Amino acid sequence: MAEPQVVLEEALRAFRETYPDCEPRIAVAAPGRVNLIGEHTDYNQGFVLPMALPMVTVVVGCQSTDGNISLCTLAKEADEPKRLEFPVPSEGNPLTPGLPNWANYVKGVIQHYRAGPLPGFKAVTASNVPLGGGLSSSASLEVAVYTFLQQICPDDGDLVQKALTCQKAEHTFASMPCGIMDQFISVMGEAGHALLIDCRSLQVTPVPISDSSLVILITNSNVRHSLTGSEYPTRRKQCLEAAKALGKDSLRDVSMAELKAAKARLDAEVYCRAHHVISEIKRTAEGAEALKARNYWEFGKLMVQSHNSLRDDYNVSCRELDELVAVAMDGEGVYGSRMTGGGFGGCTVTLLEAAAVEKTIQRIKDNYSGTPTFHITRPSRGAHVLQL
């Protein structure tokens, strides 16, 4: 796996080629994330248990005096144009979403930034977080841009507000009504720890993952189904509908007994969506306790239950993800495996013994119908400034 330094060097080379009249003065990085358990619970005010990855988005750049912002992305998957320029926003001339789509994540953060006035600047973004892999490449970009802006126009340093601003950017400029998890973990990630995040109180509890005999394996299915964009808002609406029917503000406040008692009053599909969320919130809290106690078999059991619930109740898995989980579990030394991220493709996350890694990877290569890629990973730090 490429480390941040490799991504930084790529960004610096591109910056000097793109802007030969300007020497890069600032470099920052913000990580992607993998969610160990707690899927589709964040926008239901529940619990999530993600960890930051060594895979990062890097932004390098310098201030300019022409009143303009010039951006360039190195992402191969990004839509054209990959370089654009626009005036620094003002009250009378705010930024608005548009094309190219990749720039909306950047523009949203600039527009909603919590300090000002911003100077002009030139910047290049580069990343080794897989796009569309369920590892939160978008939040990684948003948080990296915010961290860059902090270097040229410092804000008050409030980490919670930083994450919330990046979430707001995704809501308003990318039209994706995401929960808070991705931006939170990218801002606040801790090396050697997952974070149990209470998405209602925004309280963060570090959960150590430092056992050298334990490995977290991410397997990218390398498939992306087009349902992702349309189905995510639908699931969110269904959850709100279920909560409202039960007289609650969110599914966080609904017990499984209350849900079952109201089954006859709920649409069958809405009932299933709520069943997943309520059970997943409970699994996530139990999972954090199991990890703290180093009860990896218990945590693994909860991971598999989570995957089955996402497949059957939430209906966001797909054949490829189901296949990867089944193959991973069909061997010794594997505690648990599940899809991670929004669904309909992307990645699985597997918890296993270090001694079982090679055989597990080979088994997946031999039995998965697609072409997987693998990342043996560890909990890493959140957004930070890089030395030039």
Side-chain angles (χ1 to χ4, degrees):
M1 180 189 297
E3 295 295 330
Q5 190 63 32
V6 177
V7 186
L8 172 62
E9 288 169 4
E10 179 188 16
L12 288 172
R13 277 195 303 272
F15 186 92
R16 290 180 175 119
E17 290 172 6
T18 307
Y19 306 111
D21 59 330
C22 179
E23 183 65 18
R25 303 289 183 191
I26 300 160
V28 301
R33 63 97 187 98
V34 65
N35 191 22
L36 299 176
I37 196 166
E39 218 67 74
H40 291 279
T41 51
D42 57 347
Y43 53 83
N44 288 289
Q45 297 185 12
F47 295 102
V48 291
L49 189 65
M51 67 178 217
L53 295 171
M55 291 179 275
V56 296
T57 297
V58 167
V59 179
V60 301
C62 66
Q63 290 191 41
S64 60
T65 56
D66 59 5
N68 289 327
I69 293 170
S70 183
L71 301 171
C72 176
T73 179
L74 302 188
K76 296 181 179 66
E77 305 90 342
D79 52 332
E80 296 289 348
K82 295 188 178 181
R83 181 180 173 184
L84 72 160
E85 188 170 296
F86 48 85
V88 173
S90 62
E91 194 171 324
N93 186 30
L95 298 180
T96 55
L99 296 174
N101 288 309
W102 67 266
N104 287 330
Y105 299 95
V106 181
K107 289 159 74 176
V109 174
I110 294 168
Q111 180 60 41
H112 296 309
Y113 186 64
R114 299 175 54 252
L118 284 169
F121 62 87
K122 298 174 181 179
V124 167
T125 73
S127 184
N128 62 349
V129 185
L131 195 69
L135 302 180
S136 200
S137 56
S138 58
S140 174
L141 173 59
E142 291 153 5
V143 173
V145 171
Y146 195 106
T147 307
F148 178 86
L149 297 180
Q150 287 177 300
Q151 310 316 304
I152 60 174
C153 182
D155 69 350
D156 59 11
D158 187 317
L159 296 181
V160 171
Q161 291 304 318
K162 177 178 178 177
L164 289 170
T165 300
C166 292
Q167 180 196 29
K168 183 179 180 181
E170 188 149 343
H171 286 188
T172 58
F173 273 68
S175 299
M176 179 57 76
C178 61
I180 191 58
M181 171 178 65
D182 297 351
Q183 292 81 7
F184 243 67
I185 188 65
S186 190
V187 169
M188 299 185 193
E190 292 186 24
H193 296 77
L195 296 185
L196 179 67
I197 303 170
D198 182 333
C199 298
R200 167 176 284 168
S201 69
L202 304 183
Q203 183 177 352
V204 175
T205 306
V207 179
I209 304 179
S210 54
D211 191 330
S212 61
S213 68
L214 189 70
V215 165
I216 295 160
L217 174 68
I218 297 171
T219 305
N220 195 335
S221 68
N222 287 309
V223 296
R224 294 172 66 193
H225 294 289
S226 57
L227 287 166
T228 313
S230 60
E231 292 289 332
Y232 184 97
T234 301
R235 297 297 184 283
R236 188 162 183 156
K237 286 177 186 173
Q238 289 170 325
C239 292
L240 288 171
E241 182 183 332
K244 186 177 179 182
L246 290 156
K248 308 286 187 177
D249 289 334
S250 79
L251 290 175
R252 168 74 177 269
D253 296 318
V254 180
S255 69
M256 191 60 78
E258 287 173 316
L259 177 67
K260 289 180 176 176
K263 187 172 183 178
R265 295 192 282 117
L266 294 172
D267 172 84
E269 197 170 79
V270 169
Y271 175 85
C272 287
R273 305 299 187 247
H275 190 278
H276 164 72
V277 171
I278 294 166
S279 62
E280 185 81 346
I281 290 171
K282 183 171 183 283
R283 277 189 292 270
T284 305
E286 291 174 351
E289 292 305 312
L291 268 188
K292 287 177 190 173
R294 297 195 174 196
N295 188 345
Y296 304 135
W297 290 112
E298 177 62 21
F299 189 83
K301 183 177 79 173
L302 293 166
M303 290 176 78
V304 174
Q305 289 174 2
S306 170
H307 180 81
N308 293 344
S309 180
L310 288 159
R311 180 192 66 203
D312 300 335
D313 279 344
Y314 224 62
N315 196 26
V316 291
S317 188
C318 60
R319 177 186 61 79
E320 294 90 349
L321 293 174
D322 295 342
E323 199 177 303
L324 284 173
V325 169
V327 173
M329 293 303 300
D330 189 27
E332 293 182 1
V334 178
Y335 299 113
S337 186
R338 59 182 287 276
M339 61 156 278
T340 187
F344 308 107
C347 295
T348 61
V349 58
T350 303
L351 194 74
L352 70 168
E353 295 172 353
V357 172
E358 286 187 24
K359 284 185 178 179
T360 302
I361 288 175
Q362 192 58 53
R363 186 168 65 252
I364 293 171
K365 285 179 178 177
D366 292 343
N367 293 283
Y368 175 53
S369 58
T371 307
T373 49
F374 303 93
H375 304 282
I376 298 168
T377 191
R378 62 189 183 280
S380 300
R381 65 190 295 199
H384 55 283
V385 178
L386 298 170
Q387 297 301 312
L388 289 178

